[in-house]
Amino acid sequence: MITIIAGTNRPNSDTFAVAKYYQEQLSQLVEEPVNLLSLTELPKDMFNPAMYTAEGQSRQLMDLQDLVMIPAQRFVFVSPEYNGSFPGILKFFLDACSIREIGPTYRGKKAVLVGVASGRAGNLRGMEHLTGILNYLGIAVLPLKLPISQIGKLRDENGQLTDQATREAIGDQLQKFLAF
């Protein structure tokens, strides 16, 4: 199973649109399930001091972890650039999942990173920050990270990714990820 994580809880984000495109492309390339997790789906009750114990975690969070994190052998992290890095909600989610089942959730798995930005750097710095965290958790990260810059200029009025060069770069990255 492959799990794609749209790394922001901002509704109707460019990040989610890019993650959805990745899901569509991967679904055509593999036989296994390709799940898309938007952090807008995170349970509101997970934000409490008791979450730092396995017993205090939200049942909904544990269900998400059991359904889309633990069974996944590969992850696609699509992350916007927030203040020179990635969103805190993504770090919070990674931390929350590590409390109850760190090994089965992360260790020995593989990931690919995609940065999304309205500016010109495509979240390069954020992807490097995220790489360090994922490596610490035991996830091997494909060295080919894809910074998608000026996302607003790459989508049409319906929000579809129309830029051919970006679509080709995504295709190349996915081929390398599947061979990784």
Side-chain angles (χ1 to χ4, degrees):
M1 171 190 298
I2 299 172
T3 294
I4 301 168
I5 299 172
T8 179
N9 60 343
R10 180 177 288 182
N12 305 312
S13 68
D14 290 327
T15 299
F16 181 77
V18 171
K20 185 79 176 141
Y21 182 81
Y22 268 79
Q23 182 186 36
E24 292 163 2
Q25 297 306 301
L26 274 169
S27 293
Q28 294 175 19
L29 296 171
V30 298
E31 300 285 327
E32 63 192 296
V34 180
N35 294 305
L36 174 55
L37 173 62
S38 171
L39 296 187
T40 61
E41 300 171 28
L42 292 181
K44 304 300 180 239
D45 65 345
M46 74 181 271
F47 301 101
N48 68 74
M51 68 154 283
Y52 295 102
T53 66
E55 304 78 37
Q57 291 211 323
S58 156
R59 179 76 246 161
Q60 195 178 2
L61 173 65
M62 290 189 281
D63 290 346
L64 265 177
Q65 188 174 5
D66 290 342
L67 291 172
V68 298
M69 296 298 288
I70 292 173
Q73 291 305 302
R74 298 173 193 246
F75 297 106
V76 177
F77 288 91
V78 183
S79 174
E81 188 254 320
Y82 281 15
N83 299 316
S85 190
F86 60 91
I89 191 69
L90 178 54
K91 177 68 164 79
F92 183 79
F93 175 68
L94 294 171
D95 290 347
C97 287
S98 73
I99 292 165
R100 184 174 62 96
E101 293 283 353
I102 190 169
T105 302
Y106 301 120
R107 293 198 179 114
K109 298 183 181 186
K110 296 180 180 181
V112 67
L113 306 185
V114 183
V116 177
S118 57
R120 55 192 169 103
N123 197 19
L124 285 168
R125 197 176 301 159
M127 288 189 289
E128 288 306 313
H129 295 163
L130 186 54
T131 297
I133 293 164
L134 295 175
N135 287 164
Y136 179 84
L137 291 170
I139 296 175
V141 177
L142 181 73
L144 176 59
K145 299 168 184 79
L146 184 60
I148 301 177
S149 304
Q150 300 183 342
I151 186 65
K153 296 179 181 178
L154 306 177
R155 297 173 61 206
D156 66 15
E157 61 279 351
N158 298 319
Q160 299 299 309
L161 188 60
T162 56
D163 182 71
Q164 190 58 35
T166 303
R167 291 165 65 112
E168 289 172 10
I170 290 170
D172 181 57
Q173 184 193 41
L174 288 177
Q175 290 297 327
K176 289 180 171 67
F177 179 54
L178 293 175
F180 180 50

